[in-house]
Amino acid sequence: MLKLGGYINIVIAIGHIVGLFWADKMFEVTGIGKEMTELAQTHSTLPYLLTIFVTFVFFIFGLYGFSADNKFRPLPFLKPVIFMIAGIYLLRGFGELIFDLEKQQANQFLEITYSLIAVFIGLLFLIGGLKKWKLKQTNE
């Protein structure tokens, strides 16, 4: 589960970088076009820099998933970070689902889809982490 969560995060990170070549379309499809246009009014590079920062975060999440799955050396604070990643995804997914159900908007299907994907990834990290460290405790 942790390895799959790692792969998904790496794919999302790559998608962000590739999406920068068609940034306006990517921002529109993901539902943040208005916010990025407003951010660009402050400085034209801010939407790109923010996207690169978000890419870096997804990439780090992916590395932590791989590290927890023993694909390479353990990263610092591995156990709490895995559960923090799970919490971030679950909070984003469930929070957005609750928010989306209260409002009616044109792209509600996409928002619900993104939220369900976030819940799925969060559960991969949560259940994967629980299985990893619960099994480790019972083996000791």
Side-chain angles (χ1 to χ4, degrees), residues 4-138:
L4 179 58
Y7 278 123
I8 292 171
N9 275 278
I10 298 297
V11 168
I12 292 171
I14 292 169
H16 277 74
I17 293 298
V18 170
L20 283 175
F21 292 104
W22 303 276
D24 291 337
K25 185 65 175 169
M26 178 182 72
F27 297 150
E28 180 186 321
V29 168
T30 57
I32 59 171
K34 179 183 171 198
E35 292 83 357
M36 289 302 205
T37 301
E38 291 172 5
L39 190 59
Q41 290 173 354
T42 304
H43 196 281
S44 62
T45 60
L46 286 179
Y48 299 97
L49 293 173
L50 180 60
T51 302
I52 290 169
F53 174 75
V54 169
T55 298
F56 181 73
V57 171
F58 282 121
F59 186 75
I60 296 299
F61 284 5
L63 292 180
Y64 267 90
F66 292 148
S67 179
D69 194 50
N70 301 318
K71 297 302 171 203
F72 59 90
R73 70 176 185 83
L75 292 172
F77 309 108
L78 184 60
K79 185 176 179 180
V81 170
I82 289 297
F83 290 112
M84 182 189 73
I85 293 169
I88 290 169
Y89 271 113
L90 291 171
L91 183 64
R92 189 269 183 229
F94 286 124
E96 189 73 27
L97 277 174
I98 292 167
F99 182 72
D100 283 345
L101 293 177
E102 292 177 359
K103 63 180 183 168
Q104 297 295 329
Q105 61 185 43
N107 61 349
Q108 191 171 12
F109 176 76
L110 278 176
E111 292 295 328
I112 290 172
T113 302
Y114 296 147
S115 297
L116 291 174
I117 291 169
V119 169
F120 174 71
I121 297 169
L123 289 174
L124 286 174
F125 276 89
L126 178 63
I127 296 168
L130 289 172
K131 287 174 84 173
K132 176 183 176 68
W133 284 289
K134 183 178 180 184
L135 289 175
K136 196 172 194 177
Q137 287 176 351
T138 57

